[in-house]
Amino acid sequence: ALSRAELDSAFAHLVSAQRWQPGDSPTFVLIGRVISQAQANGLPLEALEGHQATDEFGVGAASVIQGIAVSPADAFAWFALVDVYEGFRTARVRYQAMKRAGEAALTGAKAPPPSEKVVGLDGEDQVSVAAALQALELEPNFYFYRDYLAKLYWDRGLETEAANEIRQSLAQWPRLEAHPSLNDESFVKGLAPAILEGIAAASPNRFAGPAMAARARASILERLERRDEAIQAWEELRRVGDRSLVAECDLNIGRLEIDAGRLRESIPVLQSVSERIGEADTAGWALYYLGQAHSRLGEHAEAAAVLRRHLELVPDSLPGSFLLAEEEEIAGRGGEAERLLIAAVLMYPSEPSTYMKVIESMRKHGKAKQALSYAEALGKFDEHREEADRLIEQLQIEAVQKPH
């Protein structure tokens, strides 16, 4: 029930389980987790209906503390206390934002911006840090606790502390997708030296190895737009010699050459990858970037040819469909471009950009009336509703002026 976010059901079962096994630590911890998820997502719990957010938080915190008392060596239980505090913080921040907006609506004034971010740890933060450090002491090889601390310190303006934690976190495990803090671009750019130092320190780690560290280094350098250094890092990784690894590295080198504006230089690298029959997925994306290079060089016939081959290998490629549609349009085959874009809508019905592309193509060829249904479909996406309403109004006028 908890994994399905059925929080009322999960809470009821856990309370029942607690009665049957009052000495079971995970039950208490999971009760706290239910309350944390409810508060973080603004979801009411039937069992606590009518209680203030602070009361709900108190139940969650007390439950987790009881779990810790039963099993004080459980790192998971200690970090669950962090979750409860984070859930309450999220609920409190959301409430304060809604209160400001409500007060502004009553007075007709513009809602004041949130107060300036305070540098340093407040009382809640200090509890979270203490709990995370206790979890880290119990499970020192689990990088996640350091990752959490790094992001918390960064958000509170404590850059030195944040740098130290992310450096050690990446030294333990340099697989970038395992570190949620790295999803924050300002975090990556602000702590780039520490991040790269951590990755370098991971290279001799026998559980990670030089290949994982080299891939992480190349990816970070790319995100920092240090393209030439990123190319060098991919070339270093390429020397490991594994066939699939060589293909991956060459694909990324070719892509970075395009990003750097060295279009002609990218072509032989990507051509080589595209001919590796045994690496169909990598070869397919090499063809996409090869098409991109030819297109930007003005070699549109070559671009269209390789993009058709790309879609044979990667038939669900949305960027490939868009780029080939552009090439078909340039070649004067507007009908074929429209067919590709309609197929993209059918393939990705929840992607607003596909509807926009079809509307754009149809308007270009005087098919405003046919484009209306796609504009109406675009209006089903909340974030595009106003844009769709404007398009519908424009298309209705165009349909009258240029009936098709």
Side-chain angles (χ1 to χ4, degrees):
L2 181 56
S3 68
R4 293 193 301 267
E6 297 171 359
L7 301 184
D8 287 320
S9 176
F11 189 82
H13 284 300
L14 288 166
V15 170
S16 180
Q18 178 189 326
R19 296 193 191 102
W20 283 98
Q21 288 188 299
D24 184 54
S25 174
T27 302
F28 290 102
V29 172
L30 287 172
I31 287 172
R33 189 175 169 196
V34 169
I35 291 174
S36 168
Q37 287 197 18
Q39 292 208 303
N41 294 287
L43 301 173
L45 283 171
E46 288 180 7
L48 299 176
E49 188 176 356
H51 288 72
Q52 297 293 323
T54 49
D55 298 330
E56 292 184 8
F57 162 72
V59 173
S63 185
V64 172
I65 290 167
Q66 179 64 27
I68 291 171
V70 172
S71 183
D74 183 358
F76 174 74
W78 281 100
F79 200 77
L81 190 59
V82 176
D83 281 339
V84 171
Y85 271 86
E86 289 295 326
F88 177 63
R89 177 185 292 280
T90 302
R92 180 166 50 75
V93 169
R94 182 175 54 248
Y95 169 76
Q96 289 169 348
M98 291 172 64
K99 184 179 178 183
R100 285 195 304 272
E103 289 171 348
L106 287 172
T107 61
K110 185 178 179 181
S115 57
E116 289 289 326
K117 184 168 68 173
V118 177
V119 174
L121 303 177
D122 62 18
E124 291 175 9
D125 292 331
Q126 290 174 17
V127 175
S128 294
V129 167
L133 288 172
Q134 184 62 50
L136 182 60
E137 183 178 330
L138 292 165
E139 205 171 3
N141 293 322
F142 190 26
Y143 62 89
F144 178 79
Y145 304 133
R146 292 195 181 281
D147 207 64
Y148 165 78
L149 287 167
K151 187 63 168 66
L152 178 64
Y153 288 141
W154 173 258
D155 288 342
R156 303 298 181 264
L158 302 173
E159 295 186 19
T160 301
E161 292 83 351
N164 181 55
E165 294 298 340
I166 196 62
R167 185 186 296 110
Q168 294 186 70
S169 178
L170 284 161
Q172 287 183 310
W173 192 242
R175 194 177 185 91
L176 300 185
E177 55 269 34
H179 298 268
S181 62
L182 299 180
N183 293 329
D184 182 341
E185 285 303 316
S186 68
F187 180 92
V188 172
K189 291 177 179 176
L191 297 176
I195 290 168
L196 291 168
E197 287 166 9
I199 291 169
S203 187
N205 180 341
R206 65 191 178 93
F207 296 107
M212 185 187 292
R215 182 183 284 109
R217 174 177 166 76
S219 298
I220 289 294
L221 288 168
E222 183 178 339
R223 287 174 64 180
L224 295 170
E225 298 184 351
R226 291 158 59 176
R227 294 187 185 91
D228 288 339
E229 291 177 78
I231 288 171
Q232 185 180 353
W234 285 117
E235 287 172 345
E236 290 171 7
L237 180 57
R238 190 183 190 281
R239 287 194 280 273
V240 172
D242 175 79
R243 180 183 173 87
S244 62
L245 200 55
V246 168
E248 176 194 352
C249 292
D250 284 349
L251 176 64
N252 284 297
I253 289 168
R255 179 174 52 78
L256 285 166
E257 293 285 15
I258 292 174
D259 288 346
R262 296 189 287 265
L263 304 175
R264 192 62 67 189
E265 291 85 342
S266 73
I267 289 175
V269 180
L270 293 168
Q271 186 67 49
S272 173
V273 181
S274 73
E275 292 168 357
R276 292 175 189 167
I277 308 297
E279 304 290 337
D281 188 57
T282 309
W285 283 105
L287 287 164
Y288 169 74
Y289 291 113
L290 199 56
Q292 195 178 70
H294 282 302
S295 178
R296 287 172 60 178
L297 284 165
E299 299 166 355
H300 298 296
E302 293 89 339
V306 294
L307 286 167
R308 290 189 193 98
R309 288 169 56 205
H310 161 67
L311 287 174
E312 287 173 8
L313 292 176
V314 193
D316 60 347
S317 168
L318 188 57
S321 296
F322 285 172
L323 189 52
L324 181 55
E326 288 178 21
E327 294 302 321
E328 297 289 11
E329 193 70 56
I330 289 169
R333 294 187 289 269
E336 184 60 21
E338 185 181 304
R339 184 194 67 77
L340 280 163
L341 295 172
I342 290 172
V345 169
L346 296 174
M347 196 181 306
Y348 291 96
S350 59
E351 176 51 59
S353 64
T354 59
Y355 298 90
M356 292 296 296
K357 292 283 186 181
V358 172
I359 294 165
E360 182 185 325
S361 176
M362 288 183 168
R363 289 180 83 181
K364 189 179 294 183
H365 295 282
K367 296 183 177 180
K369 188 174 182 181
Q370 291 91 323
L372 272 168
S373 61
Y374 292 94
E376 288 163 357
L378 180 66
K380 294 176 183 177
F381 299 94
D382 288 340
E383 68 274 23
H384 290 281
R385 190 166 295 158
E386 289 183 13
E387 185 178 16
D389 288 342
R390 285 195 299 272
L391 275 172
I392 289 168
E393 186 177 345
Q394 292 167 4
L395 291 168
Q396 286 172 337
I397 294 169
E398 290 175 25
V400 172
Q401 291 173 343
K402 296 182 180 180
H404 198 284

